[in-house]
Amino acid sequence: MKIVILDGYTENPGDLSWKGLEELGELTVYDRTSLTDEQEIIGRIGDAQIVITNKTPITRSVIDACPGLKFIAVLATGYNIVDVVYAKERGIPVSNVPAYGTASVSQYAIALLLEVCHHIGHHSNAVKEGRWTACEDFCFWDYPLVELEKKTMGIIGFGRIGQATGRIAKALGMKVLAYDVCPNETGREIGAYTDLDTLLASSDVVALHCNLTAENTGFINKESIAKMKDHVMILNNSRGQLIVEQDLADALNRGKVAAAALDVVSTEPIRADNPLLKAKNCLITPHISWAPVESRQRIMGLQRGECESVFERSTCERGEQTDMKKCMVISDSFKGTLTSVEICKIAEESFARILPDCELIAIPAADGGEGTVACFLHACGAEPVTVEVSGPLFESLPATYARLQDKTAVIEMAAAAGLPLVEGRGNPAVTTTFGVGQMIRHAVASGSRKIILGLGGSATNDGGCGCASALGVHFFDEDGKEFIPTGITLEKIAHLDMGECGELLRDVEICLMSDVDNPLYGERGAACVFGPQKGADAEMVELLDRNLRAFSDILVEYCGEGWMRGGAGAAGGMGAGCMALLHANMRSGIETVLEMTGFDELLEGCDLVITGEGQIDRQSMGGKLISGILKHTVKKAVPTVALVGSIAEDLEELPYEAGLTAVFSINRRPEAFKNSRLKSHENYQRTLEDILRLLNMVS
């Protein structure tokens, strides 16, 4: 096998070894190749099966001129230098290395910030120039010094690197705000998600960690800078094209922006006429965030593994072709580590490398809890809609729902009333679902006629009364005074009026997604089972349960008993409130997802389904995602494999009796969750690819 590296010098200027790749075949390494001379690029690739590039572009015409190509490897995070659409048409997998630089790039972002705050290099040079020696005082500085504690860092792009940067900022005592189109639970543990305008207006430091897209090119410009605080600091070690450089230079020169620290610019190497070179208080370094030896060694190791997969596949191709024609990956999130959308992206990359001829159906899944909206955005091409609503403590916050083309809206109650939003201030006696009702009202006003409402991860115990209030249900006490009930005041409801709500929702169907079958009150009720995890002590649990019983009496009086069934206790009794007051229907969360994504149709012709979740236990077999999928795959005799974080000890033969073919833990060594969670992306990918390699050999 012939392997060609077109521009190896930046990756390995001599301090690393290419030995790993040399072991796979005939290796040719060029330090540099022209970025514009396609004939030179084509000539150097020649009849090689594998080409490895960093910045040298691989265009459609290059691919056409090199018919021997079987694999294109990029020694970087992005794919933008490769015509990936055409490569896919030609059946040529393209690989990048997205996880190699999390530690180094986040570390460098903070290094840039600390340099801006303390001007360490400048003051060191001043000492060497004798300025401290000549000083009359025991200390000397000639730049303002900035303390970061209690200041706010706004991070735009809150993926792995953004979250790693946020963790360090949080350790420095900073408040962290985040903007990302796909919020997740891991991110909420680090900072607070908000909309972009709020982030810009509230942040002392704005840090860019987002991918470059057509939509965000040049989004840091005079208009967005005008929305920022005066004397803001801007960090960018993501992509230079995110910034309109003349606009930033102007803002620096007039003092609107106090300082900018950049490791990337729009054209690299930097042009002599770049306006930032002469701008005030602008620190620029030559794109080295990624370059520590450990990071570069990691790139080489990961790409060596990808090339090895191609080598193994090539060996297999000389025998029989794999019989694996169509596979599906549909997994729940791994709580706190991997979202289901991230799992789908890993699967897409891994199948393209190891089973490129196999059709992959990748469906992110959720059962109504956090991540449900992100799943529909990814799986159904829905449009994200962000609105300002009341949070669980009646504070204003942005919440996003998904709008589908068929006048359906998908809403997570956790987006406006979720437990992560109270950040240690959990008190289910006073929290509200009012913001959830505001989201529904906005969706209806925007034309939606079906609302899919995910119930899960709530911080509330108000029986859904807050939501109902926002939709026009009026609650009155014995004195005829209207109020919005919460967990502690449910027993004060004496009368209610549903007329306005009925008119608003006259032609609207509301479908509740939940796999919780708890009743409204009692030992298995909302307060007794879920109250403690929301912050309720024993005394409060007793009070909340008593109030839910009183609420039940009111619902029976005004709405009858049709709502009194399994799931009434979901989301702090919101299941009951929605079924009774909004005439909502309760459905299994996973069944709703499977129906909306057309799972049964997609399952036709599948040779294998890969599912999973953070931990497989007896609950997994009794109504959660894995068991829901098995109901369909077993009927059609499709082998089903589960990739999970951990496997409960008491499972015994239960997964196999339920229809699972095999269960694999992604963890590669025995270690505490606090350590293994940091490797979840890598561990999932390696485990999946080991399975795919095995399938490739035995099929």
Side-chain angles (χ1 to χ4, degrees):
M1 178 174 291
K2 291 185 178 181
I3 305 170
V4 172
I5 300 174
L6 293 173
D7 45 8
Y9 186 82
T10 52
E11 166 65 25
N12 179 15
D15 55 350
L16 299 174
S17 170
W18 297 113
K19 182 179 179 181
L21 290 171
E22 290 171 345
E23 293 173 348
L24 297 179
E26 178 185 333
L27 177 68
T28 303
V29 180
Y30 297 97
D31 283 348
R32 298 171 186 86
T33 296
S34 172
L35 304 183
T36 57
D37 186 347
E38 284 198 344
Q39 291 308 308
E40 180 177 291
I41 297 170
I42 292 167
R44 290 186 169 184
I45 295 174
D47 59 352
Q49 287 80 45
I50 296 177
V51 61
I52 300 176
T53 179
N54 191 324
K55 298 298 181 186
T56 305
I58 308 297
T59 63
R60 181 189 186 106
S61 54
V62 170
I63 293 171
D64 281 338
C66 302
L69 272 182
K70 293 182 177 294
F71 181 56
I72 301 170
V74 182
L75 293 171
T77 302
Y79 288 112
N80 56 301
I81 61 167
V82 179
D83 189 335
V84 292
V85 174
Y86 187 61
K88 185 175 182 180
E89 288 179 14
R90 291 287 304 273
I92 302 172
V94 180
S95 169
N96 64 343
V97 276
Y100 77 92
T102 302
S104 59
V105 177
S106 59
Q107 171 185 304
Y108 198 87
I110 299 299
L112 290 173
L113 176 59
L114 294 177
E115 175 62 25
V116 165
C117 291
H118 297 288
H119 305 278
I120 296 168
H122 165 80
H123 286 109
S124 176
N125 289 334
V127 170
K128 293 175 182 178
E129 293 167 359
R131 296 177 65 187
W132 191 20
T133 302
C135 183
E136 297 179 357
D137 303 309
F138 77 95
C139 64
F140 159 83
W141 70 88
D142 60 358
Y143 267 103
L145 306 179
V146 178
E147 181 178 281
L148 292 171
E149 187 174 13
K150 296 185 179 179
K151 288 186 168 52
T152 298
M153 175 181 279
I155 301 176
I156 302 174
F158 214 45
R160 285 185 295 273
I161 295 174
Q163 290 180 8
T165 303
R167 288 190 187 95
I168 304 172
K170 194 172 182 181
L172 292 173
M174 300 185 75
K175 177 184 177 182
V176 176
L177 296 178
Y179 172 75
D180 197 283
V181 294
C182 291
N184 58 56
E185 185 175 339
T186 305
R188 290 194 178 99
E189 293 174 359
I190 301 166
Y193 285 99
T194 186
D195 63 278
L196 183 57
D197 284 350
T198 300
L199 183 147
L200 295 176
S202 306
S203 300
D204 302 293
V205 180
V206 173
L208 307 183
H209 286 299
C210 46
N211 295 325
L212 180 68
T213 67
E215 290 74 24
N216 67 17
T217 297
F219 84 104
I220 299 298
N221 52 35
K222 59 184 179 182
E223 288 81 13
S224 58
I225 291 172
K227 298 176 182 179
M228 299 181 191
K229 282 185 173 182
D230 289 341
H231 314 302
V232 67
M233 293 178 276
I234 296 176
L235 310 178
N236 185 16
N237 58 338
S238 180
R239 290 289 183 268
Q241 297 93 328
L242 296 170
I243 295 175
V244 177
E245 290 168 337
Q246 185 63 62
D247 290 355
L248 176 57
D250 292 343
L252 285 162
N253 290 332
R254 69 174 184 269
K256 168 68 177 180
V257 176
L262 316 170
D263 187 49
V264 290
V265 291
S266 59
T267 302
E268 298 175 349
I270 192 169
R271 292 166 54 103
D273 61 353
N274 190 307
L276 293 171
L277 288 171
K278 296 182 179 180
K280 295 178 181 178
N281 300 322
C282 187
L283 174 68
I284 305 174
T285 56
H287 202 145
I288 55 175
S289 298
W290 69 283
V293 65
E294 296 86 354
S295 180
R296 290 183 289 113
Q297 184 67 65
R298 197 175 298 120
I299 295 174
M300 292 179 68
L302 290 169
Q303 282 297 18
R304 198 270 187 193
E306 305 306 335
C307 293
E308 186 176 21
S309 298
V310 177
F311 178 80
E312 291 173 353
R313 186 167 68 248
S314 178
T315 302
C316 178
E317 286 172 354
R318 289 195 290 270
E320 295 183 0
Q321 294 290 323
T322 176
D323 292 331
M324 201 64 63
K325 302 301 182 185
K326 181 180 178 181
C327 292
M328 182 186 297
V329 173
I330 176 166
S331 177
D332 206 343
S333 63
F334 285 32
K335 188 174 182 181
T337 59
L338 280 174
T339 67
S340 55
V341 173
E342 289 172 329
I343 288 170
C344 286
K345 290 179 179 178
I346 293 171
E348 288 164 356
E349 294 168 2
S350 298
F351 271 82
R353 285 191 291 269
I354 298 172
L355 292 177
D357 297 326
C358 178
E359 178 188 356
L360 172 66
I361 308 295
I363 303 174
D367 57 8
E370 184 184 21
T372 299
V373 165
C375 291
F376 279 91
L377 290 174
H378 184 90
C380 301
E383 173 193 358
V385 179
T386 301
V387 293
E388 199 74 17
V389 299
S390 292
L393 295 172
F394 290 94
E395 75 281 26
S396 180
L397 54 77
T400 300
Y401 68 88
R403 182 162 57 203
L404 283 71
Q405 293 182 350
D406 63 351
K407 295 186 177 182
T408 297
V410 181
I411 296 173
E412 291 176 26
M413 71 86 57
L419 194 56
L421 298 177
V422 297
E423 295 183 0
R425 300 167 294 157
N427 183 351
V430 300
T431 46
T432 183
T433 56
F434 191 85
V436 184
Q438 289 176 301
M439 294 174 73
I440 296 173
R441 193 169 196 120
H442 184 276
V444 171
S446 301
S448 296
R449 288 297 171 262
K450 180 176 182 179
I451 307 295
I452 297 175
L453 178 59
L455 304 183
S458 76
T460 56
N461 208 85
D462 70 348
C465 289
C467 173
S469 294
L471 292 169
V473 176
H474 300 278
F475 297 90
F476 303 91
D477 63 16
E478 288 185 349
D479 298 325
K481 183 179 179 180
E482 186 174 358
F483 71 109
I484 301 174
T486 63
I488 200 171
T489 59
L490 285 174
E491 50 87 24
K492 294 183 179 180
I493 302 172
H495 310 285
L496 56 86
D497 181 350
M498 297 183 288
E500 180 187 342
C501 179
E503 187 63 29
L504 176 70
L505 302 180
R506 178 185 298 274
D507 299 316
V508 178
E509 175 189 359
I510 298 180
C511 175
L512 307 179
M513 286 179 64
S514 177
D515 287 311
V516 168
D517 63 356
N518 300 72
L520 180 60
Y521 58 82
E523 290 184 1
R524 294 187 60 251
C528 294
V529 174
F530 303 109
Q533 69 191 44
K534 302 176 185 182
D537 58 19
E539 183 177 354
M540 183 184 293
V541 166
E542 184 178 348
L543 169 66
L544 294 173
D545 187 63
R546 185 168 61 248
N547 286 356
L548 287 173
R549 290 174 185 267
F551 180 50
S552 173
D553 292 339
I554 288 291
L555 291 182
V556 170
E557 178 181 348
Y558 280 85
C559 307
E561 298 182 354
W563 59 269
M564 297 183 71
R565 52 195 178 89
M574 191 172 184
C578 288
M579 286 189 287
L581 302 172
L582 310 183
H583 305 294
N585 300 309
M586 180 71 74
R587 289 202 60 192
S588 160
I590 182 57
E591 286 298 328
T592 302
V593 169
L594 297 182
E595 178 183 306
M596 292 291 292
T597 57
F599 179 81
D600 283 334
E601 291 79 8
L602 295 172
L603 190 61
E604 291 293 336
C606 266
D607 299 299
L608 177 70
V609 170
I610 298 174
T611 184
E613 60 184 354
Q615 172 171 292
I616 186 169
D617 52 26
R618 288 186 172 272
Q619 284 188 331
S620 306
M621 300 295 104
K624 295 180 72 176
L625 182 136
I626 291 177
S627 64
I629 288 172
L630 286 173
K631 289 178 183 177
H632 295 257
T633 58
V634 168
K635 288 179 182 177
K636 298 194 175 183
V638 179
T640 307
V641 171
L643 269 64
V644 301
S646 61
I647 303 171
E649 293 182 2
D650 63 347
L651 270 181
E652 299 175 348
E653 296 298 310
L654 190 58
Y656 312 111
E657 293 170 357
L660 272 175
T661 307
V663 181
F664 299 92
S665 169
I666 67 169
N667 293 316
R668 303 177 76 83
R669 64 177 63 185
E671 57 185 343
F673 175 69
K674 66 178 181 180
N675 297 323
S676 66
R677 71 191 297 267
L678 303 177
K679 308 171 188 174
S680 295
H681 184 284
E682 177 185 352
N683 286 347
Y684 188 96
Q685 185 169 26
R686 288 187 174 184
T687 304
L688 175 61
E689 293 188 357
D690 282 344
I691 292 171
L692 298 185
R693 289 188 180 100
L694 178 62
L695 292 173
N696 205 9
M697 296 299 293
V698 302
S699 295

